[in-house]
Structure formats: structure tokens, C-alpha cells
Amino acid sequence: MDGELTHTSRSRPDGAGIRLADIAAQSGVSEATVSRVLNGKPGVSQGTRQAVLTALDLMGYERPQRLRQRSNGLIGLVTPELDNPIFPAFAQAIEKALTQHGYTPVLCTQLPGGAPEDEFTELLIDRGVSGIVFVSGLHADTTAKMDRYTRLTDRGLPIVLLDGYSAHIEAPFISPDDRAAARLAVQHLVDLGHERIGLAVGPGRFVPVIRKIEGYRQAMAQLLGAGQVDELISHSLFSVEGGQAAAAQLLERGCTGIVCASDLMALGAIRACRDRGLSVPADVSVVGFDDSPLIAFTDPPLTTVRKPVQSMVTAAVHTLLEAVSGAPMQHSELIFQPEFIVRGSTGSGPKILR
């Protein structure tokens, strides 16, 4: 049957139809090796066997029944609403990494008016999860009570917290360098000739917001000698509408460059510019943050600070599974450097007569 295995398939449990040549090409081994793995034959290293099975999964085939492993356990994943595309990107990467390690992810997505984080946490504990990953949760809110997390660590449940930090939680944190992100954005706009640079951010109680403001203030002072920048900082919601409202205030204050705390806010800032008959980037330059999926295809393509999602996820899953295996949880924070991505929403600042 010319390179087909007769007892594996996409559609049937016994599954006819996997092409050995396709799996071999994907996994970088010979068709004979693929056949040995799928038929459960000895003489194949664990690494090669895993490469073939990973290729099988990536190409959408069901594994033969004999090769389906029992789950090592459940891992909870609690995220904010998925309207912001950076959160589905995190969820997908975390779920993929957990699955590759043999764990079954249980995704809990918070919705406006829906179940709160604490309710999801109790649900996951009732399900007997081996650990929980929190993405941009209440741990990022300086006004929230942190005992909700200390209760988990006190009972020995491994947790990892992304995008936020608290000195009161004895657990590992994984964060992007928000201060560096703001400095990179300001540096870029200063290099283009902008001097009146505003910052559009979310509510001031969140750790990533506090850190972005610190980086922004530092860069404005060092690069422009601008010590008093309070009027150039506008707080709103992390949404398109929030970005539009924040940018409207900054435009009224004469800003020609606007640094936004998320890509969605940046899209709102562009809308605010157009509402006033201003062109981006000819009149106003706009910088986002996240580099979430599809953001390169906006009009104009968005200059942004790329959040290192894959590096953060790899570290988070590795750290969590080490704790699940019995390693002690340590109060630490791994901070990952962002990358500045220049596209079409930033351009030269206004010509200033001296």
C-alpha cells in the first residue's frame, strides 16, 4: 500500500491511512523507524520514539491505542478573558508544553460577570490538579489580598504566576521586563525626533503598569531631561476603547508620540488620531506592547514591543513541573527581555525650529 500503515488513522480508532513518508519527513527519521515506533517494536531510542509521536500529534493523527499514554495528571491554567489575543497565545503555548510533558491542561477563562479567580481555583482543587499556572491574575493587583495564593502554597500545591509580582507569595514568578519595554519605546520615539511623548496605560494598581511607568519616567528623564511627566501619563482600560480614551487626552496635551501598554490600546490610540483627522505615522507615532497574533497586519502595521511569550512559557512549565516532581518552590522572579519590533505606525517627529 505504498507507504501507508494499515492499522493507524485519523478517523478510526484502529486508524488506517497514516502516510509513513509524511511522518518520517516531519520527524527527520526513516520510514522504517516510523513503522517500528507505530507498531511498538523495540530497537528505537526514547528520543527518536518521542520525535515520531510528536510528529504524529502535530500532523493531526490519532495515536494508535497501544501508544496512548495515561495522563501524568491535571494542571490548571487560569487566564483573563481571551478578547486580548495575547492571552490565547499564552494559553495555547502553555497547553502545548504541558501536553508534550504528558499532563492534561484544564483551562479556566475569566469573563466579565463570570466566575472569579477564587472560584476557578476551588474548582481546580476539587478536580485534583497537580499544580496551577496563573496568567495576569490577582497577583498582579497591588490592592488584592495575596492570602488566596499563600493558602495554596501552604498546602503544598505547586503554582507559578505570570505577569505580576508580590513579595508576599512564596512562589515563582515569570515576567517580561516592563521597565525595559517602556524604555525601548521611548528611545525609539526620541530617535525619530519626538519630544512630547505620552504613555497610555491601564489602572495604576497593577504591577506591570507600575513598572512601565517607572521605565517611562526614567527614559524621559535620561533622554529628554523631562522630570515632570505626570500630565503625559493617561490611565484607562486595557482595551481598544480604553486606548482611544487615553490617547484622546494625550493628543489634547500635544503629544506627537504615544506609547501604549497593550496592542489593543494602541489600536484605540490610532482610532483616536483618525477621529481628529490626524495621520499615523505622519502626524502621530503610536507604539504598542505584546506583539500579539495578527498585529503585523493592522493598518498601519503596528510598531510594538514583543512580549517573550515562548520563553516565559517554557520557564513557567519547567518550573511548575519541577515543583510537581517534588522540588521545593522558591520565591523568585525570572524576568525576560522584550524585543522591539519596528513597523509602520511610527515615523519622524515634527520639525522643531531652534
Side-chain angles (χ1 to χ4, degrees), residues 13-157:
D14 66 342
I18 290 181
R19 290 193 57 81
L20 299 186
D22 295 341
I23 301 299
Q26 176 72 24
S27 57
V29 301
S30 68
E31 292 183 37
T33 299
V34 173
S35 179
R36 295 187 71 83
V37 171
L38 297 183
N39 287 293
K41 301 294 184 182
V44 181
S45 72
Q46 183 57 38
T48 299
R49 187 178 302 276
Q50 187 58 49
V52 171
L53 294 178
T54 299
L56 202 70
D57 296 338
L58 290 174
M59 297 182 74
Y61 291 112
E62 291 185 8
R63 294 187 183 190
Q65 187 66 43
R66 71 174 71 84
L67 299 179
R68 296 178 193 171
Q69 297 179 334
R70 290 180 58 83
S71 171
N72 290 331
L74 303 177
I75 299 291
L77 171 56
V78 182
T79 72
E81 72 283 348
L82 301 182
D83 293 346
N84 186 334
I86 196 62
F87 296 131
F90 266 115
Q92 184 176 27
I94 293 170
E95 289 184 330
K96 180 179 178 181
L98 289 171
T99 301
Q100 288 176 340
H101 285 87
Y103 287 85
T104 301
V106 181
L107 176 62
C108 296
T109 302
Q110 299 180 74
L111 299 172
E117 182 177 307
D118 292 342
E119 198 170 308
F120 278 134
T121 300
E122 289 303 318
L123 171 70
L124 292 170
I125 291 173
D126 290 344
R127 294 285 181 90
V129 295
S130 301
I132 303 176
V133 180
F134 293 93
V135 179
S136 296
L138 290 170
H139 62 280
D141 187 341
T142 57
T143 65
K145 293 182 179 180
M146 297 299 142
D147 57 357
R148 55 175 43 90
Y149 301 108
T150 57
R151 286 197 295 269
L152 300 178
T153 57
D154 287 346
R155 66 191 296 172
L157 182 70

Side-chain angles (χ1 to χ4, degrees), residues 31 43 47 77 89 97 144 169 175 183-184 211 239 277 302 308 337 342 345:
E31 292 183 37
L77 171 56
I169 308 172
S175 302
R183 290 196 298 266
L184 287 170
R211 290 176 170 180
S239 64
L302 189 64
Q337 293 303 304
V342 179
S345 65

